[in-house]
Amino acid sequence: MTLKRIGQQEIVLGIFVVLFVAFALFLPGFATTANMLTLLQNVAVLGILGLAMALVVIGRGIDISLIAALAVPPGLVLQMVQDGHSLPVSIAAALALALVFGLLNGWLIAYAEVPSLFTTLATGLFLAGLGQAALFKLDVVQWSEGMSGFERLGQGSLLGIPTPIIAFALVCVVVALLLRQTRIGAYIYAIGDNPFGARVTGIPSRPIIVLQYVLAALIGCFAGLVLASSVNSMPTRIFNSTMIYDVILVVVLGGIGLSGGRGGVFNVIIGTLLIGTMLNGMTIMDVSYSGQNLIKGVILLIAVIIDSFLNPRNEETAQQGDI
Amino acid sequence: MSMQESFVRFKARYWPDHLLGEILSKRWTETAIPVIVLVLVAFALSRAIDGFLSPAALSDTARQAGEVGFVVLGMALVVVVGGIDLSVGSMFALCDFCALYCLNVLNWPVPAVIVATIVCGALLGAVNGFLIGYLRLRAFITTLITLIIYRSAYDLLLFDNSTKIASALPDFPSWDFIGMGDVAGVPSVAIVYLVVALFGHVFMTRMRPGWHITAIGGSRRSAYNSGIAVRRTIALCYVASGVMTSIGALFFAARLGTVGGDVGVGLEVTVLTATVLGGITLGGGNGSVAKALAGTLIVLLVTNGLTTLSVSGGVNRMVLAGILLLAAMIDIRWLKNRSRIISKVYVSPTYHFLPPPPPTEVGSGGPFEQNDKLRDVTLIGLGRIEAPEDVILDRHDNLYAGSRHGDIIRFLAPDYEKMEVYAHIGGQPLGMAFDRNDNLYCCIGGMGLYRITPDRRIEKATDETNRSLYSVNDDSRLRLADDLDIADDGRIFFSEATVRYEMHEWPVDGLEARGNGRIICYDPNKNTTYTALRGLKFPNGICIASDGQSILFAETFGCSIKRFWFDGPKKGKVEVVMDNLPGYPDNINLASDGNYWLALVGMRSPALDLAWRMPGFRKRMGKRLPVDEWLFPNINTGCVVKFNEKGEILESFWDLKGINHPMITSMREHRGYLYLGGISNNRIGRYKLEHADPDFVQYDRRWGRSS
């Protein structure tokens, strides 16, 4: 019984604490307030994406297209403002795009019953291609005059705390309330735990699944706005990066099993902190980008192996085609 | 007959309505869809682009197709076993690096380079295989992680070695042949690909490991329970995927000789698209080499075509993504609904006209007039036997009957109280007959014709016949061998009731009322089997006629008895003995007075008689109603009649109550008694015949008393 209590959450928390203490002791310049704020600021976007992913993963899905949702609608905002549209109109257009995108994902997954992995793999590719082909003139969409003031979302601070961290906290609260305090949240857990059981008990699982992907796309779009305003541009080639793997890393490391129905916002926070600490420490140690990826990959692999021992797949209820 | 009915009859006779369902239920129709798409794509692009199908362009496409094709083969294997391999792009890059590093920097000979590259691919695949097969991690997330790890390893290696590789220019003719050579215009890679693909096809369809792979993909748990080494097989599939990727990378390295940051980036999406587009089902259990090839060609033609049309990268992505989505959707819809579509179109009723039946009511006079003779038959094995379709007695008066559990049960003379399992066969025994040497031949539903020797050894006599040339369904296997009799020279004639349905679906064949059955001859002396007569409406009972050169056979849903000459001057002829029976005839057997016994398993009803004249009505019924609400032939009540070869009914035996012995599919006369079997009964009936030869034993009568 005592062994059962040591879930992945506790293990990761422990690793985080050990890593943090080790870095604080042995890495000069790690344990400063400035570095802590940088660390948090750097992982805020990742954390927000992690929350979006968590919503979907708890409902036994996965959303590979988050990076496309991160890059394309906010890129559209910058592009439209550049082309002379007003900021509110541009943002409305971007939100509409994200909404349609989420609806498309959700419809394909819930109603056309295409596995979430393939749906989002393809739709992400599609959205990125759409941006590349039809929406953007350059790979990096530049900040323009009409955007002035908006950069405070990414660069401002409130009571000394950088706004990205506040944005992360805000999304944390919203998602936590949704998951823990509303009926919809309970439904998402139920669907993730046992999709067929949920359906049989009368939960409107298809609309709820659509809602998950719509929310994920909207949160992704918000994360993109934070990202764009903090670097004053939207580098749309980010779609080609391995960022989506970092997002999955945050979720899985935090202890949200990919088989669904488990975990919550707290897991995302832990995962984000661990990743942030790791990346920050490796950056201070001057590990190359590829080296960082390699280390990340190995840690993710270890996390997944441990996860598979702690939360073994139930072969009796495993679905055919559940890869 | 009205004009309209004539038309319906004409259409039912000449319109091959039943072919659609049979074609759809063929497995190759799954491959046909991607192949049709491929042809359409090739046609469209060749119209849009000049020289798209010129030999030079084709050769170039074939080279790329070979390289990607290998990777697709590996991916297909992994998808069939129920997994996915996203790391192929990174493995491709690492293998490419390995080949060029060994060749350019280490200056190894070409064969050593080939071996090293393949080993490299195998090792990379083995990591995936160990994690997914043995540690049972999820394939998707695991290969996603190895994708990152392999890619960053490649980037790190590239960073240190790219200049070294680029600066060397090795000159090996054999290496160049791998990359750019051809045999009679066919690129080297295409030849190797074809060889591997052919082997792959044989491997997947004809060899044990291939079947194991498909079985695991189909149902992992069942595969495990049936003793397949699930973990090892899965692991080896990932190793194979690594090897295939390394072969593709080898040809790529030989052709281009470069290592760059973008080698293999996004390859997994291309390969996955090809796999899904070819119709290989995600989730496993279904896939073939032909599908992988079709998918590869479609994707390459589309991407090459788009590139030639100088479409931007963005549009290229959108098209690829669109195709992937569409393919996945069609695949999933088709998979979900295929069996339902087939079940809707498979049943194809035809026109079947029967005149009003002769009367059977009490007081109506005729030979079929109902009586109560069978009411008080004595019962044998009540509650101890299930589904004795046929009953037979041997020379020592022991009684044999089939049972639903796949046994032949023997009741021992003289009182038939003691019962034993005479032979366990495994399928349901239907008609039975002893030959001259006391071998018991038995038609087993779903299995074929079996023989039980006097020392109780079970032998398969035959389970296949010659395949008919124009049949879409493979009719070489026996689906529903029904009843048999044995000619004087030992030849066995047996009926196969239907070639379109399995045994448990036999009532559906009645709904269809098409001539789906046939009579087959098995010659034990030569051990040959051939189809003697086909196109019969549920041929059932068979009995050798008095001349020894012909058989009498019953067509259950034709409601008739016919006679077929297999020897003598009328050889090959079929004549009607009786038609328009009031019920559905089943088994026929010899009576002691030289006439024949016939069981009517059920009586005709005006509703079905009318429905048989309306194929469209029955087709709608088949589509709109659940199976158990279809209008099936009535088999609630029946009788035994005695007839002669001229087709006259001599006597009939009824049971008005139908309580004591409810159903009759078979009867056998033996020493003054008539033994009754019924396929839905749990008992065997025994009826004392008046004026019958008390010493009558079927075999003694035909072949004389044996020792």
Side-chain angles (χ1 to χ4, degrees):
Chain A
M1 209 49 217
T2 45
L3 203 117
K4 270 231 144 167
R5 285 229 191 100
I6 308 173
Q8 189 175 348
Q9 192 176 320
E10 286 73 21
I11 294 174
V12 172
L13 195 62
I15 296 175
F16 165 65
V17 170
V18 170
L19 210 60
F20 192 88
V21 171
F23 282 166
L25 288 180
F26 299 111
L27 274 185
F30 180 80
T32 60
T33 317
N35 189 46
M36 283 300 103
L37 286 178
T38 317
L39 186 159
L40 283 175
Q41 198 170 351
N42 286 346
V43 293
V45 171
L46 194 60
I48 297 174
L49 286 178
L51 289 167
M53 182 68 91
L55 261 184
V56 174
V57 169
I58 289 171
R60 202 182 271 194
I62 195 160
D63 192 350
I64 306 288
S65 66
L66 266 181
I67 303 301
L70 166 97
V72 176
L76 182 68
V77 175
L78 269 63
Q79 187 69 50
M80 281 178 74
V81 172
Q82 222 177 69
D83 296 345
H85 298 276
S86 76
L87 186 59
V89 170
S90 310
I91 290 182
L95 287 180
L97 178 64
L99 186 74
V100 169
F101 182 64
L103 282 174
L104 175 70
N105 267 343
W107 181 80
L108 284 168
I109 293 161
Y111 290 91
E113 295 177 14
V114 183
S116 56
L117 158 65
F118 290 94
T119 306
T120 53
L121 193 71
T123 54
L125 202 65
F126 186 86
L127 188 61
L130 182 74
Q132 217 178 336
L135 302 181
F136 311 132
K137 298 194 180 78
L138 295 169
D139 274 351
V140 178
V141 190
Q142 291 299 333
W143 205 256
S144 57
E145 279 304 308
M147 298 290 295
S148 59
F150 196 69
E151 72 273 5
R152 265 178 288 169
L153 178 63
Q155 297 170 13
S157 63
L158 203 72
L159 306 172
I161 305 168
T163 36
I165 301 175
I166 294 173
F168 178 40
L170 199 69
V171 181
C172 276
V173 170
V174 170
V175 173
L177 283 178
L178 176 79
L179 283 178
R180 294 296 182 200
Q181 298 299 324
T182 66
R183 188 176 299 174
I184 289 172
Y187 285 170
I188 292 176
Y189 277 99
I191 291 168
D193 210 28
N194 185 345
F196 297 96
R199 203 165 163 175
V200 167
T201 47
I203 291 175
S205 35
R206 284 179 159 169
I208 295 285
I209 291 173
V210 173
L211 183 71
Q212 284 172 33
Y213 288 91
V214 169
L215 286 177
L218 290 175
I219 296 174
C221 174
F222 178 69
L225 289 174
V226 173
L227 177 73
S229 54
S230 63
V231 296
N232 271 351
S233 66
M234 188 67 232
T236 54
R237 285 185 73 92
I238 196 170
F239 179 77
N240 296 339
S241 74
T242 54
M243 191 168 182
I244 191 63
Y245 307 138
D246 291 348
V247 178
I248 297 173
L249 188 64
V250 162
V251 171
V252 175
L253 265 188
I256 301 178
L258 283 172
S259 46
R262 295 202 194 115
V265 170
F266 187 60
N267 301 76
V268 179
I269 296 173
I270 296 176
T272 313
L273 286 179
L274 180 61
I275 289 288
T277 312
M278 244 163 55
L279 292 181
N280 189 280
M282 285 194 290
T283 310
I284 292 176
M285 285 188 285
D286 200 18
V287 179
S288 73
Y289 177 69
S290 300
Q292 287 194 13
N293 270 343
L294 190 67
I295 295 169
K296 251 177 1 198
V298 171
I299 290 179
L300 181 50
L301 193 57
I302 294 169
V304 171
I305 293 173
I306 293 174
D307 181 41
S308 81
F309 279 107
L310 291 179
N311 310 317
R313 261 174 100 175
N314 188 342
E315 294 270 348
E316 289 300 312
T317 60
Q319 286 298 311
Q320 170 71 15
D322 181 20
I323 50 179
Chain B
M1 194 180 289
S2 71
M3 197 56 184
Q4 191 196 354
E5 192 165 341
S6 310
F7 174 73
V8 167
R9 183 176 154 186
F10 181 80
K11 184 184 166 222
R13 178 172 297 175
Y14 294 107
W15 179 252
D17 197 35
H18 58 292
L19 290 184
L20 179 64
E22 293 186 5
I23 289 173
L24 276 181
S25 47
K26 285 280 178 189
R27 286 201 74 169
W28 53 256
T29 49
E30 294 174 15
T31 319
I33 293 167
V35 168
I36 290 169
V37 173
L38 176 63
V39 170
L40 289 179
V41 164
F43 179 74
L45 286 172
S46 66
R47 295 305 293 270
I49 302 165
D50 285 333
F52 187 73
L53 294 178
S54 69
L58 276 185
S59 159
D60 197 43
T61 308
R63 261 180 224 289
Q64 291 180 36
E67 287 159 16
V68 178
F70 278 115
V71 187
V72 175
L73 284 183
M75 177 73 94
L77 196 65
V78 167
V79 170
V80 170
V81 87
I84 191 167
D85 192 349
L86 296 175
S87 67
V88 285
S90 303
M91 290 201 289
F92 191 83
L94 272 177
C95 290
D96 178 45
F97 176 85
C98 172
L100 291 175
Y101 186 80
C102 291
L103 192 81
N104 292 10
V105 180
L106 301 178
N107 290 316
W108 286 5
V110 172
V113 171
I114 293 173
V115 170
T117 310
I118 290 177
V119 168
C120 169
L123 286 178
L124 294 174
V127 172
N128 285 334
F130 174 74
L131 292 172
I132 297 162
Y134 287 99
L135 294 187
R136 290 192 300 159
L137 300 189
R138 281 160 172 271
F140 175 72
I141 193 77
T142 311
T143 53
L144 195 66
I145 298 166
T146 48
L147 178 152
I148 309 174
I149 296 177
Y150 293 165
R151 174 58 62 180
S152 23
Y154 174 73
D155 286 342
L156 288 174
L157 288 169
L158 199 61
F159 186 73
D160 295 336
N161 297 300
S162 62
T163 42
K164 272 190 251 174
I165 290 176
S167 59
L169 270 176
D171 184 29
F172 291 112
S174 52
W175 185 246
D176 292 339
F177 178 77
I178 294 176
M180 299 303 287
D182 55 51
V183 176
V186 184
S188 52
V189 57
I191 294 169
V192 179
Y193 177 83
L194 284 181
V195 170
V196 172
L198 265 179
F199 171 76
H201 177 72
V202 174
F203 178 80
M204 288 305 285
T205 56
R206 302 287 187 277
M207 286 168 73
R208 190 183 303 240
W211 282 52
H212 284 182
I213 288 167
T214 314
I216 293 171
S219 170
R220 195 183 155 124
R221 211 185 323 154
S222 311
Y224 177 80
N225 289 342
S226 49
I228 296 173
V230 171
R231 294 183 179 195
R232 192 181 66 216
T233 310
I234 291 179
L236 287 177
C237 281
Y238 286 90
V239 174
S241 168
V243 170
M244 287 296 173
T245 308
S246 72
I247 297 175
L250 203 60
F251 283 106
F252 179 82
R255 183 164 65 97
L256 295 178
T258 55
V259 283
D262 59 347
V263 171
V265 170
L267 181 68
E268 64 277 355
V269 178
T270 312
V271 169
L272 204 58
T273 310
T275 313
V276 177
L277 209 54
I280 295 173
T281 312
L282 304 166
N286 185 7
S288 70
V289 170
K291 289 178 183 176
L293 177 61
T296 311
L297 288 177
I298 295 172
V299 168
L300 273 183
L301 286 185
V302 170
T303 47
N304 282 3
L306 290 175
T307 318
T308 318
L309 288 171
S310 58
V311 169
S312 78
V315 174
N316 209 330
R317 273 184 170 172
M318 284 167 70
V319 170
L320 210 59
I323 292 177
L324 179 59
L325 270 182
L326 207 65
M329 259 168 74
I330 292 174
D331 183 34
I332 283 156
R333 288 281 116 187
W334 172 241
L335 197 76
K336 199 174 168 186
N337 293 314
R338 179 169 181 255
S339 59
R340 202 159 21 164
I341 291 170
I342 290 174
S343 75
K344 282 202 172 181
V345 298
Y346 193 82
V347 177
S348 113
T350 187
Y351 179 83
H352 180 32
F353 175 80
L354 288 173
T360 60
E361 290 81 14
V362 178
S364 61
F368 289 108
E369 184 178 350
Q370 290 171 355
N371 52 52
D372 229 354
K373 293 178 188 168
L374 293 184
R375 169 179 283 198
D376 297 317
V377 296
T378 50
L379 300 179
I380 297 170
L382 177 63
R384 295 195 290 160
I385 186 163
E386 273 186 70
E389 200 267 353
D390 196 8
V391 290
I392 194 165
L393 293 104
D394 65 11
R395 292 177 200 266
H396 311 292
D397 303 338
N398 298 314
L399 173 65
Y400 299 77
S403 93
R404 194 169 63 80
H405 306 108
D407 299 323
I408 291 178
I409 304 285
R410 171 156 76 171
F411 291 91
L412 297 177
D415 56 359
Y416 305 116
E417 273 303 311
K418 197 156 170 274
M419 149 185 157
E420 64 180 6
V421 174
Y422 180 64
H424 178 75
I425 296 173
Q428 178 157 14
L430 298 173
M432 294 185 282
F434 280 102
D435 73 359
R436 248 178 233 272
N437 305 317
D438 290 336
N439 292 309
L440 178 59
Y441 278 90
C442 186
C443 288
I444 311 290
M447 286 172 73
L449 181 66
Y450 279 70
R451 167 174 59 221
I452 296 121
T453 60
D455 53 357
R456 288 163 73 154
R457 215 170 51 244
I458 300 165
E459 295 168 347
K460 181 179 85 183
T462 181
D463 63 354
E464 58 187 327
T465 176
N466 52 322
R467 193 191 193 294
S468 24
L469 204 55
Y470 300 111
S471 162
V472 176
N473 269 0
D474 182 357
D475 61 355
S476 61
R477 288 278 162 174
L478 304 182
R479 283 188 158 186
L480 183 45
D482 200 331
D483 191 28
L484 74 161
D485 206 353
I486 300 172
D488 293 341
D489 61 357
R491 268 181 297 169
I492 296 163
F493 289 88
F494 62 99
S495 56
E496 189 183 19
T498 170
V499 295
R500 291 195 88 218
Y501 295 95
E502 302 300 335
M503 181 173 164
H504 65 278
E505 298 167 314
W506 68 266
V508 185
D509 194 79
L511 183 78
E512 200 166 79
R514 181 186 301 280
N516 294 327
R518 53 190 176 172
I519 286 174
I520 298 168
C521 172
Y522 167 70
D523 190 340
N525 308 315
K526 291 186 246 163
N527 199 22
T528 53
T529 311
Y530 71 92
T531 306
L533 209 56
R534 53 170 62 94
L536 307 173
K537 290 191 165 100
F538 213 87
N540 201 328
I542 287 198
C543 188
I544 300 285
S546 58
D547 60 0
Q549 296 182 329
S550 58
I551 52 171
L552 299 169
F553 66 90
E555 271 188 285
T556 298
F557 299 129
C559 298
S560 61
I561 306 294
K562 290 177 181 168
R563 185 168 181 178
F564 165 66
W565 277 267
F566 54 87
D567 267 341
K570 292 175 93 173
K571 182 173 176 178
K573 282 215 171 104
V574 178
E575 276 177 15
V576 176
V577 178
M578 288 190 290
D579 59 3
N580 196 27
L581 290 167
Y584 309 116
D586 204 319
N587 286 353
I588 308 173
N589 284 308
L590 194 62
S592 57
D593 53 6
N595 296 313
Y596 301 92
W597 295 109
L598 169 68
L600 294 183
V601 63
M603 303 313 287
R604 281 162 57 186
S605 72
L608 186 66
D609 282 2
L610 185 61
W612 267 347
R613 293 163 62 185
M614 301 156 79
F617 163 71
R618 268 144 54 224
K619 198 170 178 69
R620 275 200 301 287
M621 179 164 65
K623 280 185 181 163
R624 304 249 174 102
L625 293 182
V627 181
D628 50 359
E629 287 177 19
W630 291 356
L631 190 60
F632 285 125
N634 150 45
I635 51 170
N636 289 338
T637 178
C639 63
V640 174
V641 296
K642 188 192 264 184
F643 70 99
N644 61 19
E645 281 176 6
K646 282 182 273 179
E648 295 158 346
I649 300 291
L650 306 173
E651 208 176 348
S652 60
F653 298 79
W654 291 83
D655 176 6
L656 290 174
K657 279 271 192 293
I659 295 171
N660 199 24
H661 189 269
M663 183 208 199
I664 303 163
T665 51
S666 170
M667 72 274 104
R668 193 81 66 166
E669 185 181 341
H670 188 84
R671 294 195 197 279
Y673 285 93
L674 197 61
Y675 295 84
L676 305 167
I679 195 165
S680 58
N681 286 355
N682 63 349
R683 64 199 79 180
I684 293 167
R686 186 179 193 229
Y687 176 71
K688 175 93 180 80
L689 290 168
E690 310 288 328
H691 321 297
D693 176 2
D695 296 321
F696 173 73
V697 175
Q698 202 178 336
Y699 316 100
D700 295 350
R701 169 75 60 91
R702 281 188 60 195
W703 297 317
R705 241 170 242 282
S706 76
S707 53

